[in-house]
Amino acid sequence: MELKSVTASVFFSSDVANPDTFPHFYCDMQMYTTTMTQPDPETFLLQCVSWEVATKENKWQGRNIIRWANGEADAAYKAAQAELDPVKRAAHFIKINDLVTGDYIIVPVVARPTVQALNNKLQARISGWDSNLYNLEDWYKDA
């Protein structure tokens, strides 16, 4: 196995000519963190559909950088787009997730499914990267 570390500014750049950017994915495995920035997973799961495969022809702009194609996932995604019932829609997205993780296409290594809340008078910075108490010494309560 060859381990290669690529500087983040290079790895996440949009330089289509650089083979070290993450959409090229010229290796058996790569690791980086990605997050779902909105509650609805539709945009996030574009990385799992065949029409979003990153290729030289689309200038490596497709969201599916792993170049995985699965007809069941494509069908579930299209069904979710047309589904108005939120429970049925969620079931389609869960199916895509199960297919991706079941085929070991994406291996989740970190999960942060926590709920964070503060009293109206408590002043504290909450982090999505560390313990909720990471800077407890800086917390204070308004008078």
Side-chain angles (χ1 to χ4, degrees):
M1 175 189 304
E2 176 189 347
L3 294 178
K4 181 178 182 180
S5 178
V6 178
T7 305
S9 60
V10 172
F11 187 70
F12 292 111
S13 80
S14 59
D15 182 357
V16 297
N18 189 337
D20 286 336
T21 61
F22 77 105
H24 285 83
F25 194 51
Y26 291 141
C27 55
D28 295 322
M29 181 182 287
Q30 66 183 8
M31 183 180 129
Y32 62 93
T33 302
T34 184
T35 57
M36 189 170 74
T37 57
Q38 62 278 340
D40 186 88
E42 184 174 341
T43 301
F44 181 75
L45 289 175
L46 279 171
Q47 65 185 313
C48 303
V49 294
S50 64
W51 59 88
E52 281 288 328
V53 168
T55 64
K56 186 176 182 178
E57 289 73 31
N58 65 16
K59 296 184 173 60
W60 307 105
Q61 298 303 302
R63 292 179 183 258
N64 183 345
I65 63 164
I66 51 181
R67 294 186 272 289
W68 177 71
N70 181 298
E72 279 186 83
D74 289 351
Y77 189 91
K78 287 180 180 176
Q81 286 183 304
E83 184 57 63
L84 296 177
D85 181 322
V87 174
K88 291 178 183 176
R89 181 175 163 81
H92 292 304
F93 290 138
I94 290 168
K95 180 177 183 173
I96 296 168
N97 181 74
D98 291 347
L99 289 167
V100 170
T101 56
D103 284 354
Y104 301 102
I105 302 305
I106 295 175
V107 180
V109 292
V110 176
R112 296 182 184 97
T114 61
V115 175
Q116 301 171 354
L118 295 173
N119 178 303
N120 288 342
K121 293 184 179 186
L122 182 62
Q123 298 298 317
R125 283 195 344 248
I126 301 296
S127 170
W129 301 104
D130 205 342
S131 161
N132 289 342
L133 304 175
Y134 84 102
N135 67 339
L136 183 61
E137 69 277 6
D138 295 330
W139 291 22
Y140 64 93
K141 191 173 181 181
D142 287 335

